[in-house]
C-alpha cells in the first residue's frame, strides 16, 4: 500500500471514525483504525462491539484532488497514535505499508514509523444488503435523537429501556425513550415504503447525533433484524439493536389533564436550574410545584444541610388550582432543555399523576415525568 | 448584616476568592467564604492551610454605585453553594444575615436561604504590618512566574524544591526553580529598598499568576519570615513560605559551551512535540539530538511498541559537531513553551553535560536541562 494524502481531510476522517474506537478494548486489533486505499476512495473504519463508523474520503473534494494512490492495499493502525501523530504532522503526507504491516508516514524532512496490524484480522462490518431502508433529513433526525435519547435508562436492569425505540410506518417516524420514571416522545411525518419497530442503544444514538451534526442533507437509515445503519454523505454508522419488547407507550400518554399551565420556557428553565441546587440532597432531586389560584405557580426546594429556595412565576392557568406536586428537578431540567419554542404547556392530572410538558401548540413532542413522593 | 449589591461584581469576587477554597477540607469552616460588609468596602476571603485570597469590592466602580450597606456585619457562607446560587441569580441582590448566621438572598420574586457559619470561628489572615516590601509591574511578574514555576519538583522529597526561589536585591529580582534535573531562571531589573531570599510553594505561585492575569498595574509584594503577600488593585494573595536552604544556582549556570546551536523556536517546539509521542515508553521521555557537521540537527525517538520518528532541522552551529545527546523531551517542551522570541540558542557542554536553552540575545532568561542516559 502506498498513497499520498492531504493532511486536513485525513485528520478529519481519523477523528470521525476514532469515536467508535474504545482505547481499552479486550480485542487488541479493535484499538486500531482499518485503512483501505483504493482508486475511488480511501476508507477508514473504527469499531467496538457496540458500534462501527465507516468514513470514505473521495478522491476529489470540491474539485480539488485529495489523494494519489500509488499502490492499493489496507492495514490496521493503532488509533490513538495515528490521530496524535497526524494532528502534529504539517502539510501533505506520503504513507507506505510494508509486508510486515509497518506504516511509514513521511512529510518533508519528517519520517515516522508506526507498527500496524494485519487487516485480515479485523472483523467485517455487518452485511446490510438485505436491509429495509427509509430517509430522514439530517436536521430532523438530530431533533428526534436529542429530544428523546437523554430519557433512556442509565442502568441495564431492563436492557430494552437503555435504548431508543424507533417506530417507522408509511407516514410517520416516532422516537421514544423511557427509564420508567419519565418518557420522551418525538414524532415527525415522513414517506416510507417500510414498516418497523426497533430499539437502538442510547449511547449509539447519541454518537449518531454527534456525527450527523457536522453533516447536512438526507440520512439514509437501513435496518435488519440485528443491525441499523445511518448513512449520511460519506459517513456510515452501524449499531447493533437491542432485543426485547419495548413498553407500549400509547396508554401512558393518554392522561386527562385537570390543569393546564402555560408559561415562558426560559424563565421556567432558569427557575428549575436554581431550585435544583437545593434538591440534590434528596434521592429524587425533589422540586415542589404549587399551583396557586391567582395565576401564579410557586416553585421551591429545601435541604436541611444547605438551605432553601422558593420563587413565584406568573403563568396562565386553565382548570383546577390549589394543589401541589413534587417532581425530580433534574428530569424537569432535561425535558425543558430539549423543548423548542418560547412557551411550554405543563399539564397536570393530579398530585399523584404524571406531569406532561409540551411545546405550546406542538403535539409532535411530549415529555412525561412521574411525580415523586413529596418530602 | 444587610446590604444590596450588583450581581456581576459579587460573582466576580466570589469566583476570585473561591480559588483558595479547598472543597474537601478537614476544617469545615474553610469550605466557606468570609464576607465582611462595611461602609467603604465589601470584603471576601477564601483560604486553606496554604493560601488565602482577599478581595475588596469598593463602593463605587467606574463612577457607578456597586452596593448599599443597610447594616454592617460579617458571616461565613459555604463557598460552593454561594457561587452556584449567585451565578444563577439574575439582577441585583438583597443579602441579609440573622443572628443564627442564616443568609437570605433575594432577587425579585426569588427568595433563597443558605445556612452560614459564625465569622468569629474563621481564622485570621497573617499579620504583615512589619513586612518588607517592593513593587513589580504585573506583566513582568507574570513572566517571572510562568517562566520558572513549571520547573519545581512535583514531589515532596526535598520540600524546598517544590517552591519557587525569589531573590530580591537593590537592583534585581530573580525567580528560579529546579527539580534537580532541570533549572529555570528569570531575572529582571528593579529598584528596591529591601533585600531578601524566600521560597514560595509552586502551586501558590501558579495561583498568583492566574489571579494577576486579569489585573493590570503594579503588584506590591510584602514579605515576613513566614509569609508573602501579593497585592494588586483590590486583590491580596497570601502564601506561606517554605523553610530550608535553596540550592546555590550560580555554579550550575556557569558551563563552558563547546557548541552553540541557533534555531527557529516554533519549528523546534513542533518537532519536539511530535518526537515526544514516541518517547513516552521511556522513563525519561528520551529524545535524541544529534549535532551533524552540515548545519543540521537530527532529532529522533523510538519505541519498541509504537514505532519511531526522526526529523532534520536546518540550524546555525558554532563549535564542535558530530555528537549526540539524549534529554527528557517533556522537559525540553516545557522550556520551549515559556521562552519568548522567534529564535533560541541551545548550548551544549558535551554529551554528559547539561543543555542550556536561552532566547537569542537575551541573557535574562535561562532554561537548563540535564541529559539522560541514552537508550
Amino acid at each position: 500500500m502506498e498513497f499520498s494524502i492531504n493532511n486536513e481531510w485525513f485528520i478529519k476522517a481519523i477523528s470521525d471514525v476514532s469515536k467508535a474506537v474504545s482505547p481499552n478494548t479486550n480485542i487488541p486489533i479493535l484499538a486500531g483504525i482499518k485503512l483501505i486505499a483504493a482508486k475511488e476512495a480511501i476508507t477508514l473504519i473504527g469499531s467496538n462491539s457496540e458500534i462501527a463508523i465507516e468514513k470514505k474520503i473521495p478522491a476529489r473534494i470540491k474539485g480539488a484532488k485529495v489523494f494519489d494512490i500509488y499502490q492499493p492495499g489496507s492495514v490496521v493502525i493503532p488509533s490513538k497514535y495515528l490521530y496524535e501523530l497526524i494532528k502534529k504532522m504539517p502539510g501533505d503526507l506520503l504513507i507506505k505499508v510494508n509486508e510486515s504491516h509497518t506504516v511509514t508516514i513521511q512529510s518533508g524532512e519528517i519520517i515516522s514509523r508506526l507498527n500496524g496490524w494485519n487487516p485480515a484480522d479485523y472483523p467485517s462490518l455487518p452485511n446490510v444488503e438485505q436491509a429495509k431502508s427509509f430517509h430522514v433529513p439530517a436536521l430532523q433526525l438530530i431533533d428526534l435523537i436529542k429530544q428523546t435519547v437523554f430519557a433512556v435508562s442509565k442502568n441495564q436492569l431492563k436492557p430494552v429501556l437503555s435504548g431508543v425505540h424507533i417506530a417507522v410506518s408509511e407516514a410517520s417516524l416516532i422516537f421514544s425513550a423511557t427509564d420508567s420514571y419519565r418518557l420522551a416522545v418525538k414524532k415527525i411525518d415522513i414517506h416510507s415504503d417500510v414498516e418497523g419497530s426497533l430499539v437502538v442503544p442510547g449511547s449509539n444514538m447519541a454518537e449518531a447525533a454527534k456525527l450527523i451534526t457536522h453533516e447536512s442533507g438526507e440520512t439514509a437509515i437501513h435496518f435488519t433484524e440485528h443491525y441499523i445503519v445511518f448513512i449520511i454523505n460519506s459517513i456510515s454508522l452501524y449499531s447493533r439493536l437491542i432485543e426485547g419488547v419495548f413498553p407500549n407507550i400509547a396508554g401512558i400518554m393518554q392522561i386527562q389533564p385537570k390543569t393546564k399551565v402555560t408559561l415562558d420556557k426560559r424563565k421556567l428553565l432558569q427557575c428549575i436550574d436554581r431550585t435544583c441546587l437545593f434538591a440534590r440532597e434528596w434521592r429524587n432531586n425533589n422540586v415542589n410545584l404549587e399551583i396557586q389560584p391567582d395565576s401564579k405557580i410557586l416553585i421551591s426546594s429545601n435541604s436541611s444541610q444547605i438551605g432553601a429556595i422558593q420563587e413565584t412565576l406568573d403563568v396562565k392557568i386553565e382548570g383546577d388550582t390549589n394543589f401541589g406536586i413534587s417532581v425530580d428537578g433534574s428530569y424537569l431540567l432535561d425535558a425543558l432543555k430539549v423543548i423548542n419554542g418560547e412557551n411550554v404547556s405543563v399539564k397536570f392530572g393530579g398530585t399523584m399523576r404524571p406531569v406532561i410538558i409540551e411545546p405550546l401548540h406542538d403535539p409532535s413532542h411530549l415529555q412525561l415525568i412521574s411525580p415523586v413522593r413529596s418530602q
Side-chain angles (χ1 to χ4, degrees), chain A:
Chain A
M1 185 174 99
E2 182 173 349
F3 65 93
S4 64
I5 187 164
N6 172 286
N7 167 305
E8 213 175 303
W9 291 109
F10 197 41
I11 187 72
K12 172 78 176 69
I14 296 169
S15 162
D16 279 343
V17 304
S18 289
K19 296 188 175 84
V21 179
S22 316
N24 303 315
T25 169
N26 288 327
I27 306 158
I29 202 165
L30 289 186
I33 287 174
K34 184 171 181 179
L35 190 64
I36 305 152
K39 212 173 167 184
E40 61 283 0
I42 289 179
T43 305
L44 289 87
I45 300 167
S47 67
N48 58 47
S49 53
E50 285 280 325
I51 199 174
I53 299 174
E54 181 189 68
K55 165 102 182 180
K56 284 183 186 295
I57 308 175
R60 291 185 162 272
I61 296 177
K62 289 176 194 160
K65 196 162 68 176
V66 177
F67 62 77
D68 270 313
I69 303 285
Y70 306 117
Q71 199 193 325
S74 66
V75 70
V76 178
I77 313 179
S79 151
K80 185 180 154 202
Y81 299 112
L82 181 65
Y83 182 69
E84 290 195 43
L85 180 65
I86 301 298
K87 217 172 45 173
K88 294 177 196 289
M89 291 285 256
D92 286 354
L93 307 166
L94 178 66
I95 298 179
K96 277 189 233 186
V97 179
N98 69 12
E99 280 172 12
S100 47
H101 315 297
T102 300
V103 186
T104 308
I105 301 172
Q106 193 168 351
S107 170
E109 296 287 298
I110 310 164
I111 303 170
S112 155
R113 177 168 57 72
L114 285 174
N115 302 328
W117 289 299
N118 188 346
D121 296 339
Y122 196 85
S124 313
L125 287 177
N127 185 340
V128 286
E129 269 178 28
Q130 304 298 318
K132 295 179 181 177
S133 69
F134 62 97
H135 288 80
V136 196
L139 279 178
Q140 286 196 293
L141 181 56
I142 293 171
D143 263 359
L144 282 160
I145 300 173
K146 289 200 172 164
Q147 293 176 343
T148 53
V149 70
F150 66 90
V152 302
S153 172
K154 303 299 180 286
N155 65 48
Q156 289 289 331
L157 289 178
K158 289 185 190 164
V160 80
L161 296 189
S162 68
V164 174
H165 181 251
I166 300 178
V168 56
S169 65
E170 256 179 44
S172 74
L173 176 63
I174 303 172
F175 277 39
S176 47
T178 176
D179 61 3
S180 77
Y181 302 105
R182 61 173 159 186
L183 167 70
V185 183
K186 170 73 179 176
K187 175 183 170 179
I188 64 165
D189 297 330
I190 60 164
H191 296 284
S192 153
D193 301 328
V194 299
E195 297 209 337
S197 164
L198 23 150
V199 183
V200 187
S203 52
N204 299 358
M205 288 307 291
E207 205 53 72
K210 277 191 234 162
L211 272 180
I212 297 166
T213 302
H214 306 293
E215 307 290 330
S216 58
E218 287 278 306
T219 309
I221 300 180
H222 302 260
F223 62 95
T224 68
E225 206 181 329
H226 300 294
Y227 290 96
I228 186 167
V229 193
F230 299 87
I231 303 176
I232 181 158
N233 302 326
S234 57
I235 295 189
S236 307
L237 182 140
Y238 294 74
S239 168
R240 69 172 180 90
L241 297 179
I242 301 177
E243 287 180 29
V245 180
F246 199 80
N248 183 353
I249 56 169
I252 308 173
M253 284 160 61
Q254 278 160 5
I255 76 156
Q256 208 52 47
K258 290 190 180 163
T259 305
K260 184 180 157 190
V261 173
T262 307
L263 71 174
D264 182 294
K265 189 194 67 181
R266 204 173 51 92
K267 279 190 186 161
L268 179 59
L269 182 64
Q270 290 172 344
C271 165
I272 301 297
D273 190 28
R274 280 187 288 268
T275 314
C276 278
L277 280 180
F278 295 83
R280 290 182 203 154
E281 193 177 307
W282 302 93
R283 195 165 63 91
N284 296 315
N285 298 299
N286 286 33
V287 163
N288 313 308
L289 313 177
E290 213 172 284
I291 316 300
Q292 299 183 333
D294 47 352
S295 288
K296 286 191 186 298
I297 179 166
L298 177 76
I299 298 173
S300 67
S301 186
N302 71 72
S303 144
S304 58
Q305 269 197 307
I306 310 165
I309 191 163
Q310 66 169 65
E311 63 189 276
T312 314
L313 292 177
D314 291 319
V315 297
K316 188 183 149 202
I317 301 179
E318 296 160 70
D320 295 358
T321 60
N322 264 332
F323 67 93
I325 187 168
S326 292
V327 295
D328 186 318
S330 70
Y331 280 14
L332 201 47
L333 215 50
D334 287 346
L336 289 166
K337 278 179 186 165
V338 298
I339 288 182
N340 294 329
E342 258 181 58
N343 294 296
V344 287
S345 75
V346 185
K347 293 174 184 168
F348 301 89
T351 299
M352 294 310 291
R353 302 282 302 155
V355 179
I356 287 181
I357 306 146
E358 293 170 337
L360 196 63
H361 310 310
D362 175 7
S364 80
H365 181 195
L366 168 152
Q367 299 286 342
L368 177 147
I369 299 172
S370 295
V372 292
R373 208 172 287 245
S374 81
Q375 302 160 19

